[in-house]
Amino acid sequence: MDFSLSTYYPIFIYLLVVLAFAVGVMVAAHVIGPHKKTPTKQMPYESGMDPIGDAHQRFDVKFYLIAILFIVFDVELLFLYPWAVAAYRSGGSLLADFKDIVFWEVLLFLATLVVGYVYAWRKGVFKWR
């Protein structure tokens, strides 16, 4: 196997173009962008709440519950997508290509998620009073 640095020149050129573009966009945004500083722009921003008053005030937990549920059901797709791609890659049926245990494990995983969803629903997490 003969190593030649000249075969990698297009990659180096591409890397330089990408870095130049990134730096150019950042410099252009700084030069062209507005520079007017107002009290509203200088005010800290945290979780959609104005930082006015005491720091020990009560806040609504519903936002965080919905975010956690979204993450749980979003991560579910991270497990299901590769399984579905691998299961149907060879064009055959799911049970013919894999053992029956994999199919039932995925169904058990989905059933567990459904139980969690029903539990959250029954507890009133999705009610927006």
Side-chain angles (χ1 to χ4, degrees), residues 11-84:
I11 295 173
F12 294 138
I13 292 171
Y14 179 70
L15 180 64
L16 288 175
V17 168
V18 167
L19 289 174
F21 178 75
V23 170
V25 167
M26 289 174 42
V27 168
H30 182 70
V31 170
I32 298 172
H35 297 289
K36 183 185 267 187
K37 294 184 179 183
T38 63
T40 305
K41 288 183 180 179
Q42 298 299 318
M43 189 170 62
Y45 178 80
E46 179 66 33
S47 301
M49 299 170 57
D50 290 332
I52 298 172
D54 188 19
H56 299 287
Q57 64 185 0
R58 292 181 176 258
F59 61 92
D60 202 359
V61 180
K62 293 176 190 165
F63 297 109
Y64 301 106
L65 287 176
I66 295 296
I68 289 171
L69 286 173
F70 172 76
I71 290 172
V72 166
F73 290 108
D74 194 42
V75 168
E76 166 200 2
L77 291 177
L78 291 176
F79 289 111
L80 286 180
Y81 185 73
W83 173 77

